[in-house]
Amino acid sequence: MPTPPDPAVLYPDIAAHGSLAAALRAGAEGRLDAVPVTSSEAEPLLHAAVASILPHRGPLQITAWRHERRWWIRGEEPFQTLALVDGLTTDLAQLARAARAWHDGEAPAAVRRAAPFVHLTGRFEVPDNDPGRLTASEWQGMRREAAELTYAWQETYQALVEAAHAEPALRALYPFTSHWALRFSTTTRPALTVVGPSLSANSDGTYGVGNGFVTPDLGTFPTAHEAVAMAVRHLPSPLGPVALGG
């Protein structure tokens, strides 16, 4: 990996303002005048954060790339620290529009309308941290992620996620992945309680089910539906509603 250039060389306009926060505010044409925008003390040219008026929404994090001129954003819900929006842009004006919409509490879709570079993760905000809605939000995010993957095995993996979501016993559990193996929990993040087998989509188009991590000791199946059915048969019983983790 080549040594990155000095940030002041890659971002001379940012350096002229002394920080990314100051440059962002200066280029926003007044849009951010009343908005709290801060920069990292350690790396002021590379990092900025924009607070939101919503208590259930974390600051929008803005990070400059080190090897080429562009900025990455991430807007999280603070309980699980999972992204609601992210995205890449080379346009400071677009950054300012996204920052203002995030600060004002606009819905994620409205943040994207304000700044089209914004990518929606599929998760939705759950202000009261209701575990059932957090579970539904995570399923929605996982399904969007599966649909947007660019890997060769995308279709196989998406079929697995959709088959698992279609099964009520699995849809009622909180989903998560580890090295792309689909797993389930009886609690939400940040403290997961793993339950049942793991499911994996294999490069040859088959599906594995295992008690351990990615090891298909419960069988390999030609279809996602067969693999899901095997996983359901090995769920412990009874299982109550998903609880809040942490």
Side-chain angles (χ1 to χ4, degrees), residues 2-33:
T3 301
D6 187 311
V9 174
L10 194 57
Y11 300 98
D13 51 336
I14 309 300
H17 288 283
S19 71
L20 178 54
L24 190 62
R25 196 185 297 279
E29 300 178 344
R31 191 177 288 110
L32 297 178
D33 284 354

Side-chain angles (χ1 to χ4, degrees), residues 219-245:
T220 301
F221 302 88
T223 70
H225 291 287
E226 290 173 278
V228 164
M230 175 60 76
V232 170
R233 287 198 291 273
H234 283 80
L235 285 176
S237 182
L239 287 173
V242 169
L244 206 59

Side-chain angles (χ1 to χ4, degrees), residues 176-240:
F176 69 101
T177 58
S178 182
H179 294 78
W180 298 108
L182 179 57
R183 311 194 76 180
F184 307 96
S185 172
T186 56
T187 55
T188 69
R189 289 183 177 90
L192 298 171
T193 305
V194 181
V195 64
S198 64
L199 290 157
S200 57
N202 302 322
S203 59
D204 63 358
T206 63
Y207 300 87
V209 185
N211 284 309
F213 175 61
V214 189
T215 304
D217 57 300
L218 295 178
T220 301
F221 302 88
T223 70
H225 291 287
E226 290 173 278
V228 164
M230 175 60 76
V232 170
R233 287 198 291 273
H234 283 80
L235 285 176
S237 182
L239 287 173

Side-chain angles (χ1 to χ4, degrees), residues 1-11 43 45-46 63-72 88 90:
M1 178 70 70
T3 301
D6 187 311
V9 174
L10 194 57
Y11 300 98
E43 296 182 307
L45 304 186
L46 297 178
T63 302
W65 281 28
R66 295 177 180 274
H67 291 273
E68 59 181 286
R69 185 184 169 88
R70 60 175 56 193
W71 294 275
W72 174 78
L88 281 169
T90 59

